């Protein structure tokens, strides 16, 4: 295979789900979440995966689809891979977060039992007027910057900005792997990753075929 030949890309929805939505890849998923959210790997003890479609309460409400939903040690983590720019993407992300957050509270439970809900958006376009490829949003008081609650966290990872800003090597390894377009890209990443589960994914993508 020519090193510049096109490959099956991780950023394609069906492939992204095959790798990161497969319970057999729990250790890979845990490493992925740990590096993207910059949380200790040992704090992720169990992952429960469900591919989710958020259904409306009433017929005239919008129908919402989430790429991947994980229950990570009591935290709800949604991961969405978005290749094409869509109008009102920020508002859509907030809507998804709100639906996930509110639907986790069962009848009779106290509001304090609501789970921390984290949305991870990996997007193939530029969304914010900054050089950093990673933007994290929380609920902060506008003057004192005091955190109201840690229950909300929305992350955006803009793949188009990877070459403009260097922030975190582990984080960037994953994003470059997702952004790879050719076998040459994968080989370059593989050479930089001497060991670990990202190297396993590189080898898997090199031999992966589209599902029938």
């Amino acid at each position: 295979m020519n090193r510049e030949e096109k490959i099956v890309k991780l950023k394609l929805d069906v492939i992204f789900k095959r790798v990161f939505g497969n319970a057999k890849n729990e250790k890979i998923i845990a490493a992925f979440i740990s590096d993207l959210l910059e949380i200790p790997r040992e704090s992720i003890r169990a992952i429960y995966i469900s591919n989710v479609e958020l259904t409306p309460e009433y017929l005239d409400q919008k129908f919402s689809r989430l790429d991947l939903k994980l229950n990570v040690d009591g935290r709800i983590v949604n991961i969405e891979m978005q290749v094409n720019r869509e109008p009102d993407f920020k508002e859509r992300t907030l809507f998804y977060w709100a639906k996930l957050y509110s639907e986790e509270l069962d009848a009779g439970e106290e509001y304090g039992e609501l789970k921390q809900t984290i949305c991870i958006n990996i997007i193939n376009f530029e969304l914010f007027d900054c050089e950093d490829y990673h933007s994290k949003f929380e609920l902060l008081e506008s003057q004192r910057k005091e955190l109201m609650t840690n229950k909300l966290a929305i992350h955006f990872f803009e793949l188009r900005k990877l070459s403009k800003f260097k922030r975190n090597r582990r984080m960037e390894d994953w994003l470059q792997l997702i952004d790879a377009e050719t076998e040459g890209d994968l080989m370059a990443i593989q050479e930089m990753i001497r060991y670990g589960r990202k190297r396993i994914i590189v080898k898997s993508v090199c031999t992966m075929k589209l599902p029938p």
Side-chain angles (χ1 to χ4, degrees):
M1 180 185 287
N2 187 300
R3 287 169 66 87
E4 295 307 314
E5 185 173 334
K6 297 293 183 181
I7 59 170
V8 175
K9 304 170 191 174
L10 269 175
K11 70 179 79 173
L12 293 177
D13 180 70
V14 65
I15 305 302
F16 189 83
K17 283 184 178 179
R18 173 175 286 190
V19 174
F20 297 107
N22 188 338
K24 294 180 180 178
N25 295 333
E26 181 176 325
K27 292 182 179 179
I28 290 174
I29 298 166
F32 175 64
I33 293 173
S34 171
D35 289 342
L36 253 61
L37 297 182
E38 299 179 276
I39 58 178
R41 171 61 184 84
E42 57 271 17
S43 71
I44 303 174
R45 294 181 295 275
I47 295 176
Y48 305 95
I49 300 171
S50 61
N51 293 320
V52 176
E53 290 184 337
L54 293 176
T55 53
E57 295 181 19
Y58 303 101
L59 292 178
D60 60 348
Q61 290 183 331
K62 288 183 176 294
F63 186 85
S64 307
R65 183 181 62 81
L66 294 179
D67 276 0
L68 190 63
K69 175 186 172 185
L70 305 96
N71 187 324
V72 182
D73 288 346
R75 288 175 286 197
I76 301 303
V77 179
N78 170 58
I79 305 174
E80 182 171 0
M81 178 70 237
Q82 183 67 33
V83 173
N84 299 317
R85 179 186 290 274
E86 290 192 4
D88 306 321
F89 185 75
K90 299 174 189 175
E91 288 75 14
R92 192 189 79 172
T93 299
L94 186 60
F95 177 77
Y96 282 177
W97 176 90
K99 290 281 286 183
L100 281 172
Y101 182 63
S102 60
E103 287 184 353
E104 288 301 314
L105 190 69
D106 294 329
E109 289 186 330
E110 300 293 335
Y111 290 113
E113 297 180 63
L114 282 163
K115 297 179 176 66
Q116 182 184 28
T117 302
I118 303 169
C119 286
I120 297 174
N121 299 283
I122 302 172
I123 57 179
N124 197 43
F125 51 89
E126 295 191 7
L127 187 61
F128 301 105
D129 186 20
C130 65
E131 290 187 354
D132 196 341
Y133 61 82
H134 178 208
S135 298
K136 177 183 178 181
F137 293 88
E138 299 176 302
L139 280 175
L140 298 174
E141 199 283 327
S142 60
Q143 299 299 320
R144 302 188 307 276
K145 307 303 179 185
E146 180 181 345
L147 184 67
M148 175 183 167
T149 176
N150 72 343
K151 297 295 178 71
L152 178 148
I154 300 178
H155 297 257
F156 295 88
F157 296 91
E158 300 172 80
L159 297 178
R160 299 298 92 200
K161 294 179 179 178
L162 276 173
S163 61
K164 301 177 183 178
F165 191 93
K166 299 302 178 184
R167 185 178 189 278
N168 179 302
R169 182 69 262 170
R170 288 176 177 270
M171 191 182 288
E172 288 156 16
D173 283 344
W174 287 110
L175 296 174
Q176 287 171 350
L177 180 57
I178 291 170
D179 196 39
E181 296 275 347
T182 67
E183 187 183 5
D185 292 339
L186 289 177
M187 293 304 100
I189 296 168
Q190 189 173 28
E191 289 173 7
M192 290 187 293
I193 303 170
R194 300 297 181 185
Y195 57 88
R197 303 194 181 279
K198 289 190 284 288
R199 190 176 179 89
I200 296 173
I201 296 180
V202 172
K203 291 181 179 179
S204 299
V205 173
C206 286
T207 58
M208 190 178 291
K209 296 180 180 179
L210 281 169

